[in-house]
Amino acid sequence: MAAATLWELFATTARRHPGAPALELDGAVISYRDLDRRAGAIAARVLLEHGGAPRRVALLASRSVVALAGYLAAQRLGATVTPLNPGYPRQRNRRVCELARADLLLADGAGAAQLGGDDGPTAATVVQLRDGDLAACDDASAALPPYRVSPDDVAYVLFTSGSTGEPKGVPIRHRNLLPYIRHNIDRYEVGPGCRMSHTFDLTFDPSVYDLWVTWGAGATLVVPRRNELLTPIRYLEEQAITHWFSVPSVVSVAQELGGGLPPGRATALRYGIFIGEQLTYRQAAAWHAAAPGAIVENVYGPTELTVACTEYRLDRDPGRWPQTSNDTVPIGPVYGFLEHVILDADGRPSDEGELCVRGSQRFDGYLDGGDDVGRFVAVGASGAEVYDGGAPLTAEHYYRTGDRVRHERGELVHLGRLDNQVKIRGYRVELGEVEAALRRHPDVGQAVVVAVRTGDDTALTAFHTGAELGAAELMRWMRKQVPLHMVPRRYVHLAALPLNANGKADRGTLTRSVAA
């Protein structure tokens, strides 16, 4: 019988390939047999200290054997996992623990620093472990209770930023995950011998690809140190990585640091896959030059649709790459086993508008049902009806991604977030369009444009990397690219854009720097 849950996926692989390397971390190579044994040891420790199997586990750990084996241990016990980032503020981690209703908190060495005090994360049971505690553990799987988990059970809950300032919990069930994992194993030809990157923190849902596409296929997860991601090609070269998966910002940061993307060096790489932000053609070209033998692919999807729901593969010949209005790589089509519709501002199907998706990967609603209001839409012969919470959600409802897309020359192009539209002097302005125009300047690297409202006035500020250019020169350039009301008033040069914990450009920090 085919695996129907995350644990069954891993356990099947461990039985088939017990001696194959499942994980490489800090110079250690851990086989599937050994990783299974360590997960069993953590599960036994959790049972002992909690007095039984917990229902919900908060995992305060990152880039350690405890983090990865602990994730597996929670899945073996049938618990829902909520990862916490030890680098996040203590108060936020505590609030997420509360919202997730975690009854057990598992911390590694990095996470232990947040424990204790009135403002740190906590749960009814707290278990602290370090990697050294698992170096020579016994196989405890025989003492574990029978595994009874169904595809309808929740595998994990991740928390995204809410518009009210309260984190929003996104529960993802095993049945949402398995179609995504199987699709990606097949598409990217993942199997024993493949060596997979691990660039994402466990709180960011692309890490689901890192772990479960790898372990579902019998490949090896090669965990880099944080500083290794500043020179990604060296990491690819030294570790013989075959599959790379990251946000596009990694490319730009490596370029800005100098020497981070030497051409023609990543000869083992077969696939370079990007997610989380618009992938510009400039970034794609730089990556292609560094790994000319690898396929470059751009994928897109919100957490609520289980990591990714669209994919676009660039031709191996850059001369055949399609032009787009904003110089970014197309994101689509939508996966063939999902359904989608594009709705305009009036809720009518259109070639441009908000992307809405339903199907096997669509989650069933937020942890707090009040967050569902306005986020789903039913589309029928009489038009679109936005969900108001007055009736149960059904499989017929589409999830509203909040992303604006357009069909251009038959390809699906991401135009920006709907909430990145602002009004300036009565005109509706898409910040992504302004950023694309600024990026076209030959001496500009990355660009982020933010809007700040002061009284009745809204003004645009542009942040950019690349050459340190004068505001007058950039303003003249922009006046030739966009209408006058879209030209930023202020230009700020940065050596590198600030990044959030997920590796994306930190728009919040930039906006606050202007508003301060």
Side-chain angles (χ1 to χ4, degrees):
M1 186 173 66
T5 67
L6 291 184
W7 174 256
E8 289 174 349
L9 199 69
F10 173 81
T12 299
T13 299
R15 285 194 301 270
R16 289 176 177 170
H17 310 286
L23 177 65
E24 291 187 14
L25 190 153
D26 288 336
V29 179
I30 300 173
S31 69
Y32 276 92
R33 180 191 299 108
D34 288 341
L35 186 56
D36 186 13
R37 182 180 294 120
R38 296 179 198 210
I42 293 177
R45 172 79 174 270
V46 164
L47 288 173
L48 179 64
E49 298 206 17
H50 190 64
R55 295 180 60 194
R56 294 171 291 271
V57 171
L59 184 60
L60 184 61
S62 179
R63 298 186 179 275
S64 66
V65 177
V66 168
L68 299 170
Y71 203 128
L72 283 166
Q75 294 298 326
R76 170 60 183 85
L77 294 173
T80 297
V81 177
T82 294
L84 306 174
N85 188 330
Y88 283 3
R90 292 160 57 98
Q91 295 89 338
R92 187 185 194 280
N93 282 337
R94 183 182 184 91
R95 183 56 181 148
V96 167
C97 263
E98 293 169 349
L99 293 171
R101 293 178 288 121
D103 45 8
L104 185 134
L105 175 63
L106 175 62
D108 67 0
Q114 288 205 358
L115 302 179
D118 295 332
D119 60 346
T122 190
T125 304
V126 177
V127 177
Q128 298 182 52
L129 288 171
R130 297 181 182 273
D131 283 2
D133 299 333
L134 304 175
C137 56
D138 296 327
D139 186 355
S141 58
L144 300 180
Y147 179 74
R148 296 191 179 96
V149 177
S150 83
D152 282 330
D153 289 329
V154 176
Y156 63 75
V157 178
L158 296 181
F159 283 80
T160 64
S161 297
S163 58
T164 63
E166 184 85 328
K168 291 195 299 186
V170 182
I172 300 295
R173 301 179 190 276
H174 293 276
R175 61 171 162 77
N176 301 134
L177 285 158
L178 269 294
Y180 169 79
I181 294 168
R182 290 181 179 127
H183 174 76
N184 282 272
I185 289 173
D186 291 342
R187 183 172 181 84
Y188 302 120
E189 305 170 290
V190 185
C194 293
R195 296 173 62 77
M196 316 290 284
S197 68
H198 182 34
T199 71
F200 295 103
D201 184 79
L202 298 180
T203 58
F204 193 19
D205 67 319
S207 65
V208 170
Y209 173 101
D210 291 356
L211 273 59
W212 301 104
V213 170
T214 299
W215 294 338
T220 306
L221 187 68
V222 185
V223 182
R225 297 181 179 87
R226 279 290 180 191
N227 60 358
E228 287 184 288
L229 296 181
L230 300 177
T231 54
I233 299 303
R234 182 185 300 171
Y235 164 65
L236 294 176
E237 186 179 21
E238 293 179 351
Q239 300 297 335
I241 300 298
T242 60
H243 293 67
W244 170 269
F245 192 37
S246 80
V247 292
S249 293
V250 171
V251 178
S252 298
V253 170
Q255 287 180 301
E256 288 157 2
L257 290 174
L261 289 175
R265 293 264 293 273
T267 55
L269 190 69
R270 292 164 47 194
Y271 289 93
I273 309 160
F274 296 92
I275 193 172
E277 300 171 301
Q278 292 174 331
L279 175 64
T280 68
Y281 275 119
R282 187 177 297 182
Q283 291 166 327
W287 190 264
H288 174 72
I295 291 170
V296 177
E297 188 144 313
N298 189 31
V299 302
Y300 154 87
T303 303
E304 291 85 349
L305 292 171
T306 314
V307 187
C309 59
T310 78
E311 55 203 4
Y312 184 83
R313 181 167 294 182
L314 282 170
D315 195 282
R316 289 182 182 273
D317 178 7
R320 298 171 63 89
W321 292 357
Q323 291 184 338
T324 60
S325 62
N326 60 0
D327 303 324
T328 67
V329 178
I331 63 166
V334 174
Y335 291 173
F337 55 87
L338 301 176
E339 296 179 87
H340 78 283
V341 64
I342 299 171
L343 300 177
D344 65 16
D346 296 318
R348 297 172 300 199
S350 173
D351 279 340
E352 178 178 336
E354 182 178 17
L355 179 63
C356 305
V357 181
R358 69 183 180 189
S360 57
Q361 290 183 201
R362 198 215 75 187
F363 80 141
D364 292 337
Y366 291 101
L367 204 59
D368 180 348
D371 291 327
D372 295 335
V373 175
R375 298 308 311 147
F376 295 84
V377 63
V379 182
S382 59
E385 183 178 349
V386 176
Y387 180 70
D388 63 4
L393 275 173
T394 72
E396 298 303 307
H397 284 91
Y398 291 86
Y399 176 70
R400 301 178 60 196
T401 65
D403 288 299
R404 191 162 66 91
V405 300
R406 178 166 60 217
H407 284 292
E408 297 185 4
R409 301 180 181 89
E411 310 297 352
L412 194 62
V413 177
H414 186 275
L415 302 177
R417 292 286 302 168
L418 290 175
D419 51 19
N420 276 347
Q421 283 188 344
V422 298
K423 275 200 171 182
I424 298 178
R425 298 196 296 276
Y427 294 97
R428 183 168 292 174
V429 174
E430 172 60 61
L431 298 182
E433 185 178 352
V434 184
E435 293 166 353
L438 185 55
R439 284 196 305 265
R440 292 190 186 108
H441 191 291
D443 294 323
V444 169
Q446 297 184 85
V448 170
V449 175
V450 302
V452 175
R453 187 170 182 83
T454 305
D456 295 330
D457 183 44
T458 298
L460 300 182
T461 295
F463 296 86
H464 71 94
T465 64
E468 190 166 357
L469 305 168
E473 178 182 346
L474 289 174
M475 194 170 291
R476 285 194 297 270
W477 168 267
M478 291 299 291
R479 284 176 175 171
K480 296 177 181 178
Q481 307 293 319
V482 295
L484 187 60
H485 64 273
M486 296 173 63
V487 176
R489 293 184 191 176
R490 184 182 174 196
Y491 300 83
V492 180
H493 174 263
L494 298 172
L497 293 177
L499 304 178
N500 62 23
N502 294 333
K504 299 181 183 182
D506 194 335
R507 293 178 177 272
T509 294
L510 294 173
T511 302
R512 288 189 293 272
S513 73
V514 178

